[in-house]
Amino acid sequence: MLTVNGIDVFYGDVQVLWDVTFEVKEKEILVLVGANGAGKSTTIRTISSLVSPRKGSIDFNGIRLHQMPAHRI
């Protein structure tokens, strides 16, 4: 199960995600839909540890992804 809980993400001093929260259970599919600049790619980059959240957590089956380097995920 993937749990994204209250992440805030910044690029420098500019906040680009505010309090993003969702959960994907086993055998579920989640679709991120939005306009250009809505934060879809930033959300995926944050889950992949290419960008670090300033606040919140990302867990996959009990493992804290936001504390791991991207190559380990």
Side-chain angles (χ1 to χ4, degrees):
M1 176 171 45
L2 175 67
T3 304
V4 176
N5 188 22
I7 61 171
D8 287 350
V9 178
F10 289 74
Y11 287 132
D13 292 334
V14 178
Q15 186 169 2
V16 294
L17 293 180
W18 290 262
D19 197 33
V20 174
T21 300
F22 61 86
E23 184 176 275
V24 184
K25 295 180 182 170
E26 189 173 337
K27 299 184 182 181
E28 282 187 333
I29 297 172
L30 174 78
V31 179
L32 294 175
V33 178
N36 291 344
K40 302 175 300 289
S41 295
T42 299
T43 301
I44 298 301
R45 290 172 54 86
T46 306
I47 292 169
S48 302
S49 279
L50 297 172
V51 177
S52 297
R54 197 171 287 182
K55 183 189 110 191
S57 63
I58 303 167
D59 299 318
F60 180 70
N61 290 335
I63 299 169
R64 296 269 171 167
L65 295 185
H66 65 283
Q67 296 173 339
M68 297 177 71
H71 72 276
R72 297 267 318 191
I73 294 174

